[in-house]
Amino acid sequence: MKNSITFSLKSMVICLFLIVTNLMQAQLPSETYFSEESVDEKSVVHELHIIDDYLTHTVYEKKPARFIMTRGGFVKIEENRLVVLLEFNSNYENDQLRILSIPFEEKEDELILDMKTKKSFKPAPLLTQDLDGKWLFATRGPDEGQERRGEENPRKTLKILKDGRFQWIAYQTETMKFSGTGGGSFTSEDGKYTENIEFFSKDDSRVGATLKFNYDLKENDWHHTGKNSKGEPMYEIWTKRKD
């Protein structure tokens, strides 16, 4: 009898441990998602990136190109909701949002988010390339021991690369000041990095441009060289984001 009770208690402890562990580890798979809708006869794209515990949501129009909004931050699942602690929000001056709580459901290969209206997001084809991940701007190159911006600095320029898609965002976490963003498709192979711009918050006329750069990976650093959008020489050092 005593052995039976002991066995039952052990089983309960193991079950509770597994339940708690699953809850702690619950997160959506790292993928890129798209949802497209027609608004006033214009094609509006919702682009969603989920990388580990980070989420970005960007909205823009095609033909003619027009940037609408972007926001993102650390995401966790609470019951049937995605709770996002925003690091940036391009519409912050108007909505003052620092936290999102979005009802969601997974249906076959679709992710359905209830953002005032329900939107169905479909995953983009998986594509693995050099430079995939989350990067923070560290300093101008070459690397000669100069001071780096650092992860703890509230002023950040984040660059996300996933499934052949890229986006950079410049922002300030304490004041939520948004400075700009741009993104689209990219390729990175054999030291050659190419961006094809599909949205650009500062100047919609830049959409359609293709920029070519060189890259070199050194430990956790990405050395990014070439010419900027103005045709001027540039050398940037980005570092893999740890948090």
Side-chain angles (χ1 to χ4, degrees), residues 138-140 144-150 152-153:
T139 187
R140 302 290 176 188
E144 297 175 341
Q146 63 268 45
E147 184 177 354
R148 295 184 169 215
R149 192 177 289 179
E152 68 285 350
N153 194 313

Side-chain angles (χ1 to χ4, degrees), residues 129-131 187-193 213-217:
Q129 298 186 89
D130 285 350
L131 305 178
T187 59
S188 57
E189 186 177 11
D190 297 331
K192 304 296 181 182
Y193 171 69
F213 304 95
N214 301 311
Y215 72 89
D216 188 14
L217 292 172

Side-chain angles (χ1 to χ4, degrees), residues 37-44 61-64 66 68:
E37 59 185 343
S38 179
V39 179
D40 297 329
E41 299 183 352
K42 295 179 181 179
S43 178
V44 177
E61 289 180 2
K62 296 180 178 179
K63 296 180 182 179
R66 185 174 76 92
I68 298 175

Side-chain angles (χ1 to χ4, degrees), residues 176-195:
M176 296 295 283
K177 180 182 178 182
F178 172 78
S179 298
T181 189
S185 64
F186 83 95
T187 59
S188 57
E189 186 177 11
D190 297 331
K192 304 296 181 182
Y193 171 69
T194 302
E195 294 181 345

Side-chain angles (χ1 to χ4, degrees), residues 125-141:
L126 295 176
L127 176 61
T128 301
Q129 298 186 89
D130 285 350
L131 305 178
D132 284 350
K134 304 189 298 289
W135 300 86
L136 286 173
F137 176 79
T139 187
R140 302 290 176 188

Side-chain angles (χ1 to χ4, degrees), residues 45 53 56 59 74 122 171 175 183 201 243:
V45 178
D53 61 348
T56 66
V59 186
F74 297 97
K122 294 185 177 182
Y171 57 96
T175 64
S201 64
D243 60 10

